[in-house]
């Protein structure tokens, strides 16, 4: 059974604390269901937040989140470790209360804080890239493997999962007692995210089969709960 | 016709520059289609990125993004203006190339950088809250209006849209010429996000009608392109 993450001072959720969770299962469940992360760093010019693909695994030093981008990406500083915040959010619905002050959204989110460090050794970088690539669905094995120059052009960063927190809201709106006999409707509009049918590239030659990982996505919930 | 936003040094997109856009129409279109933003700030403890509801409007001083949260939210510092980065991303599909190095996602994203300042005057705060509330769909008019204490408990921040950039990727994977005669499939798996049917709260009393703004959402694309 994975160890629980103790809330650190930085990850203790201050609002809606009833919905916070620090256990590894919830954190991993949300990360598993997410498709992109928003990664924030501090620059001399102020904070910057960029959307990025990511993967998660249990590495030698513990659970970690992996992100990548070409060396030209402004966020990545070769040779340094980088203080980052990585946030994954899945919106599950619009919560319509009897008054706007109690409107909300149903969502699953995880915030990971830590120092991102580069994975440089080529085999380790390759393995990490595969984890990121296959996060949404496994396609690595059914594609042409990366070349050495592909690999050189990509920077892969690892962030420990040790300082992470989840926040989850689900269910009905929570209104004031005095509003419950009022004339206003209240409820939830669910947000459903599904993968559609694979659409072959216009320049596809021959008739290669749709890879299993791609076929498996079609029609499925993009953010399944475990 | 709205003025184009000149790319500032901070918002000049460095990767995939062919897909960058600085014109107001594209920026507004993506912001209009988004549901949540990820807002990054720098703290003494490092960067933090939190998901937040937002709204957009043309204010007296120009176009602005509005965000809100209760005074207890760690991000909001009463009495200060806050250097923020607000990012909105909509994922439209998984791009599966013939090799993982060219895998990608189809997406629409906007990055807004600027100083967030508090809107304190009660009527102005109320108007701003309505813009945020009604961003996804108009529900304000069909609910019990906020009380003075509701209003006091909420901090509303405005960020000018002046420094913003959009990045959009759509279409097929772009592979190397040498891979085009290879045996691997390539194409796109679309990601479809739709609002479901409104689901009344379990504690709803009487039989109030579903408000028009809520009924209008059901079955629609949550991130429509204009």
């Amino acid at each position: 059974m994975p160890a629980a993450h103790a809330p650190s001072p930085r990850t203790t959720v201050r609002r809606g604390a009833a919905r916070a969770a620090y256990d590894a299962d919830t954190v991993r469940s949300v990360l598993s269901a997410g498709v992109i992360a928003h990664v924030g760093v501090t620059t001399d010019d102020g904070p910057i937040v960029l959307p990025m693909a990511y993967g998660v695994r249990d590495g030698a030093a513990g659970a970690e989140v992996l992100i990548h981008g070409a060396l030209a990406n402004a966020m990545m500083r070769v040779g340094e470790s980088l203080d980052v915040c990585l946030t994954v959010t899945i919106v599950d619905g619009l919560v319509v209360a009897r008054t706007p002050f109690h409107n909300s959204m149903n969502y699953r989110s995880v915030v990971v804080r830590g120092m991102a460090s580069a994975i440089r050794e080529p085999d380790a970088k390759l393995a990490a890239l595969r984890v990121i690539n296959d996060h949404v669905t496994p396609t690595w094995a059914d594609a042409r493997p990366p070349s050495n120059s592909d690999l050189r052009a990509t920077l892969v960063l690892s962030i420990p999962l040790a300082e992470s927190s989840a926040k989850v809201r689900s269910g009905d709106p929570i209104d004031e007692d005095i509003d419950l006999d009022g004339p206003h409707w209240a409820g939830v509009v669910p947000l459903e995210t599904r993968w559609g049918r694979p659409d072959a590239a216009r320049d596809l030659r021959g008739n290669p089969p749709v890879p299993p990982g791609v076929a498996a996505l079609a029609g499925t919930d993009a953010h399944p709960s475990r």
Side-chain angles (χ1 to χ4, degrees), chain A:
Chain A
M1 191 114 74
H5 297 286
S8 72
R10 289 203 303 182
T11 58
T12 302
V13 178
R14 295 177 188 284
R15 286 193 66 216
R19 308 164 192 158
Y22 303 94
D23 60 286
D25 275 358
T26 304
V27 168
R28 289 296 283 265
S29 173
V30 175
L31 290 176
S32 177
V35 168
I36 57 157
H38 281 85
V39 183
V41 294
T42 297
T43 75
D44 294 337
D45 241 347
I48 185 165
V49 177
L50 296 179
M52 306 186 76
Y54 70 95
V56 189
R57 74 173 174 193
D58 293 300
E64 54 185 350
V65 185
L66 303 166
I67 54 176
H68 82 305
L71 285 169
N73 187 313
M75 283 191 51
M76 313 285 192
R77 309 226 181 94
V78 179
E80 300 175 27
S81 61
L82 196 54
D83 192 359
V84 305
C85 179
L86 179 143
T87 300
V88 173
T89 306
I90 299 157
V91 179
D92 292 315
L94 185 69
V95 180
V96 182
R98 296 156 180 86
T99 183
F101 184 68
H102 291 296
N103 285 348
S104 186
M105 293 195 201
N106 284 336
Y107 61 93
R108 291 166 272 168
S109 73
V110 161
V111 172
V112 182
R113 303 188 76 170
M115 299 301 293
S117 56
I119 298 174
R120 299 185 190 287
E121 196 276 311
D123 286 344
K125 190 195 280 195
L126 205 64
L129 282 168
R130 182 168 184 165
V131 171
I132 299 167
N133 183 80
D134 285 357
H135 174 77
V136 172
T137 195
T139 59
W140 185 278
D142 299 298
R144 191 265 288 167
S147 65
N148 288 337
S149 58
D150 291 344
L151 214 54
R152 273 194 302 272
T154 309
L155 192 60
V156 184
L157 304 185
S158 161
I159 307 155
L161 254 187
E163 269 195 270
S164 54
S165 63
K167 196 169 171 193
V168 176
R169 191 199 189 286
S170 63
D172 282 342
I174 299 171
D175 271 297
E176 315 284 342
D177 286 347
I178 54 166
D179 285 319
L180 295 181
D181 283 311
H184 302 294
W185 187 88
V188 175
V189 189
L191 189 63
E192 297 153 355
T193 308
R194 307 195 82 79
W195 294 106
R197 298 179 52 207
D199 188 14
R202 305 288 161 273
D203 62 2
L204 193 60
R205 298 176 189 171
N207 194 22
V210 175
V214 171
L217 278 186
T220 65
D221 181 347
H223 304 301
S225 308
R226 277 205 247 137

